[in-house]
Structure formats: C-alpha cells, structure tokens
Amino acid sequence: MTVRPHPRVLWSAVLSAAIVVLPVWGVSLWLVGPTQSIERTWVITLGIIGMVVLIGVAVLSRRQRIVVCRDGFIEQPIVGRQRFVPRAAIGRSLLFEFRGRGLQASSQFFVCDSENRPLLRMRSNRWSTDSIAAVVAAYDGPVERPRQPVSLDDLREDHPDLLTPLERLRWARAELL
C-alpha cells in the first residue's frame, strides 16, 4: 500500500512562495529601471533562478510517499534517498490527537524504535487523515492512543524524544507542530 501527501500542501506552498517572491521581483525590476545595466541583468537572472527552484521543489515533492509492505515501511522523502524501516526495528507506535491554539485538532502518528526514537512521523497537516488511518491499519502492532487531545507542552513533558529540536524549545509556538 502506498500513501502520498495531500496535494493541497504542495499547491499552498507554491502559491505562498509565488505571492511573496513575484511582487518583490517586480519591485526590484522597477527600481533598477528600464535601461540595460548589470543590476537589471542580476535581478532578471535571480528571478529566473528563483522560479526554476520553485518549480523544481514542486516536481520533487511529487516523489514523497510512504509504502507499507509486509516487511516494514519504505519512506521516500522529497530530497534524499528512500529509507527502509524493517518491522523488527519497530518498538511501538503512537497516534496523538494534537490540539494547538485553535479549536481544530490534528493527528500525529509516530512509529518509534525500542529506544523511543522516531522512525516515521506523519502529521495531518501534510498527510490526509485517510492516509494516516491506512498506515495505522496496515501496521499490525499495537497503537497507543491517549484518550484526550494533547498539547505541545504535554508532548514536551511526556515525549520530548519525538519532537524536533525546534519543537522542544519553550518559546516555540504550537503551529510548528
């Protein structure tokens, strides 16, 4: 079984970057003026490079997927090599309902090794709830589920090993998760 990130994530990222980059590029072109100069050449070149990078990230993000097979999980990130996690390496899995500052809860699925280091992390802001549910169902081991939604402070206190270094910081906002 193969799951892919929700397509809206890609389009919202590309649209957000374009909304920020295109006006700055346009103003930069206007500021250097219409005459041929080295500054205008640099602005045009940097704008073209930025658009190529943006399109490249969009194309590369289509590579990302998680494949659940009989022997374990295969994770293909956006950039880098795919990683195989054998079932023998899996110690436990956790499915949290995370409640941030808003009213809407999000899901976080962690697959950890025997030393509680995360091997796989799925966030509902990137993966659809159906994809997370499919991976949870394909995983035939026990899945720990807290009875009520947890906050970022709860995760920092109870499961700091599951969080990224930025998420462990006290001043980090819940929207990072």
Side-chain angles (χ1 to χ4, degrees):
M1 175 192 60
T2 301
V3 294
R4 295 187 181 278
H6 203 288
R8 69 175 163 78
V9 174
L10 167 67
W11 294 115
S12 65
V14 169
L15 185 61
S16 299
I19 288 172
V20 170
V21 170
L22 289 177
V24 171
W25 188 49
V27 169
S28 299
L29 276 173
W30 178 72
L31 287 174
V32 295
T35 61
Q36 290 295 334
S37 64
I38 191 71
E39 291 87 9
R40 184 172 177 82
T41 305
W42 274 107
V43 168
I44 291 172
T45 303
L46 290 176
I48 291 171
I49 290 171
M51 296 311 270
V52 168
V53 167
L54 191 63
I55 291 169
V57 167
V59 169
L60 283 176
S61 70
R62 295 292 302 151
R63 294 181 56 203
Q64 187 175 20
R65 68 182 178 274
I66 295 174
V67 179
V68 181
C69 55
R70 193 182 66 217
D71 301 333
F73 297 99
I74 299 172
E75 180 183 13
Q76 175 66 54
I78 293 175
V79 180
R81 298 180 1 198
Q82 69 181 10
R83 187 172 62 113
F84 176 69
V85 178
R87 286 200 189 269
I90 298 172
R92 69 182 201 165
S93 62
L94 302 132
L95 180 61
F96 292 110
E97 285 297 317
F98 175 75
R99 186 162 311 272
R101 294 178 186 232
L103 297 174
Q104 190 172 1
S106 63
S107 298
Q108 299 253 350
F109 179 59
F110 294 92
V111 176
C112 304
D113 63 6
S114 58
E115 296 173 5
N116 206 31
R117 289 183 304 227
L119 300 172
L120 176 72
R121 182 176 186 179
M122 294 179 76
R123 302 174 185 171
S124 65
N125 60 354
R126 181 151 187 82
W127 302 89
S128 70
T129 54
D130 294 337
S131 295
I132 293 174
V135 172
V136 169
Y139 174 69
D140 51 349
V143 178
E144 298 175 31
R145 301 173 194 225
R147 294 177 193 231
Q148 54 190 359
V150 297
S151 67
L152 182 57
D153 290 331
D154 294 338
L155 285 178
R156 283 184 188 130
E157 187 176 316
D158 298 336
H159 304 284
D161 297 341
L162 300 179
L163 301 175
T164 64
L166 183 61
E167 292 168 341
R168 288 185 204 134
L169 297 174
R170 287 281 169 208
W171 54 266
R173 298 188 59 185
E175 287 78 21
L176 294 174
L177 207 65

